[in-house]
């Protein structure tokens, strides 16, 4: 298993899409945070405002599936989909006597860690650096740091399910373009459900999805019950999606 993970890391670092996405994440994040810090771009009414961290408001976009989907689906498309031949069968050289579930978990682990780096870690680091560069470091009080830690832990936990969704789509569609397209469509549909289902039974169902929990993760003064609910939802969806990935990969033809 360790050898498989090392092989996947080797494939990742040789993937140009990964480096392009990293560079784009760093540059874009710095730009967005600087625009907020110089008051050129004013964003209000966010959970970060409630926490007294308005200087970090650009992070609000990085918690939206429609936004971070672009980087995660692109990485999944050019990293996972490349393992399939044009006929949709698994390339024989990726099996090499290994169990398919081991191959999946090694690929999923590397995809998830690299996606978290691009969509979570780099935006947060650039936000913190930008705040200190502009002389607003005093906003990081112990209580606000605790809020950020909990928010990003809960967010990242839900993020594990999202990368499983991207991986599943990449395995099912067997095509990089379709992976990006279908993942984007799902994100748009979930956004539409969130905006249009208020006060209906559909809203109750939506609240049991990881897409809803992305918003809950950053809620200021979140209750212990809401934290537990978020963990349970993320755990259940994560297990279901991982099992679906393994089932789908096991039934792929080898060529």
């Amino acid at each position: 298993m360790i050898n498989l993970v090392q092989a996947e890391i080797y494939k990742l670092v040789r993937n140009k899409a990964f480096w392009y996405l990293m560079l784009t994440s760093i540059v874009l994040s710095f730009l967005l945070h600087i625009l907020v810090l110089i008051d050129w771009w004013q964003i209000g009414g966010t959970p970060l405002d409630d926490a007294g961290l308005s200087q970090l408001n650009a992070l609000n976009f990085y918690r939206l599936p429609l936004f971070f989907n672009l980087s995660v689906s692109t990485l999944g498309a050019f990293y996972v989909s490349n393992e399939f031949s044009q006929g949709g069968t698994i390339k024989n050289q990726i099996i090499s006597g290994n169990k398919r579930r081991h191959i999946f978990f090694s690929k999923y682990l590397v995809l998830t860690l690299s996606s978290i780096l691009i969509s979570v870690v780099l935006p947060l680091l650039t936000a913190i650096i930008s705040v200190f560069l502009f002389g607003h470091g005093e906003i990081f009080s112990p209580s606000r740091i605790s809020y950020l830690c909990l928010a990003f832990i809960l967010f990242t936990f839900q993020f594990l399910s999202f990368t499983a969704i991207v991986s599943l789509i990449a395995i099912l569609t067997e095509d990089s373009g379709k992976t990006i397209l279908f993942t984007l469509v799902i994100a748009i549909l979930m956004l539409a459900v969130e905006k249009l289902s208020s006060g209906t039974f559909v809203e109750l169902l939506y609240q049991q999805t990881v897409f809803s929990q992305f918003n809950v993760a950053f809620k200021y003064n979140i209750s212990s019950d809401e934290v537990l609910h978020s963990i349970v939802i993320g755990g259940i969806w994560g297990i279901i999606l991982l099992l679906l990935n393994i089932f789908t990969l096991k039934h792929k033809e080898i060529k």
Side-chain angles (χ1 to χ4, degrees):
M1 186 69 179
I2 295 177
N3 290 336
L4 284 173
V5 173
Q6 290 175 337
E8 292 300 331
I9 294 175
Y10 177 76
K11 292 178 186 178
L12 180 71
V13 297
R14 289 176 60 86
N15 192 314
K16 292 182 180 179
F18 170 66
W19 295 106
Y20 288 144
L21 288 170
M22 277 192 62
L23 180 61
T24 301
S25 177
I26 293 172
V27 174
L28 181 61
S29 183
F30 266 123
L31 176 62
L32 293 178
H33 285 97
I34 289 173
L35 291 178
V36 169
L37 288 167
I38 64 175
D39 290 329
W40 189 88
W41 186 25
Q42 296 184 0
I43 308 172
T46 70
L48 292 165
D49 271 336
D50 297 334
L53 295 167
S54 57
Q55 291 85 349
L56 301 179
N57 266 339
L59 285 174
N60 185 62
F61 288 90
Y62 286 91
R63 68 182 181 87
L64 301 177
L66 194 60
F67 190 86
F68 63 71
N69 161 77
L70 297 175
S71 59
V72 180
S73 63
T74 301
L75 183 60
F78 290 100
Y79 173 60
V80 178
S81 295
N82 282 346
E83 300 292 5
F84 298 95
S85 64
Q86 291 183 351
T89 55
I90 302 175
K91 295 178 182 177
N92 188 51
Q93 58 265 35
I94 77 167
I95 301 299
S96 303
N98 294 296
K99 294 182 179 180
R100 295 197 187 189
R101 66 175 181 271
H102 291 167
I103 294 170
F104 164 72
F105 277 117
S106 61
K107 187 170 289 294
Y108 168 74
L109 177 63
V110 174
L111 171 64
T112 299
L113 292 178
S114 56
S115 297
I116 290 173
L117 174 64
I118 293 171
S119 301
V120 181
V121 176
L122 290 179
L124 179 59
L125 285 179
T126 53
I128 294 172
I129 292 172
S130 298
V131 167
F132 276 101
L133 285 177
F134 280 79
H136 297 289
E138 73 281 353
I139 68 171
F140 294 114
S141 65
S143 60
R144 290 169 181 168
I145 292 175
S146 296
Y147 160 77
L148 284 175
C149 288
L150 177 59
F152 275 96
I153 288 173
L154 290 177
F155 179 87
T156 303
F157 189 66
Q158 308 302 325
F159 200 85
L160 303 180
S161 294
F162 187 82
T163 54
I165 292 174
V166 174
S167 176
L168 180 61
I169 293 175
I171 295 172
L172 287 171
T173 61
E174 307 149 356
D175 179 82
S176 57
K178 291 179 181 178
T179 299
I180 297 173
L181 176 61
F182 281 105
T183 309
L184 182 62
V185 168
I186 289 176
I188 293 174
L189 287 175
M190 290 297 100
L191 178 63
V193 170
E194 178 186 353
K195 300 299 182 182
L196 301 176
S197 65
S198 179
T200 67
F201 178 70
V202 177
E203 182 183 20
L204 295 176
L205 295 178
Y206 173 73
Q207 290 173 352
Q208 313 311 313
T209 67
V210 294
F211 291 91
S212 173
Q213 297 306 311
F214 282 129
N215 292 324
V216 174
F218 281 86
K219 180 179 178 181
Y220 188 58
N221 286 332
I222 186 172
S223 68
S224 56
D225 288 341
E226 289 172 318
V227 171
L228 180 60
H229 181 258
S230 182
I231 293 173
V232 170
I233 293 298
I236 292 175
W237 277 105
I239 293 172
I240 292 173
L241 289 165
L242 290 177
L243 291 175
L244 285 174
N245 270 277
I246 295 172
F247 175 82
T248 304
L249 190 61
K250 280 186 176 181
H251 287 79
K252 282 290 178 180
E253 179 185 353
I254 300 176
K255 185 175 182 180

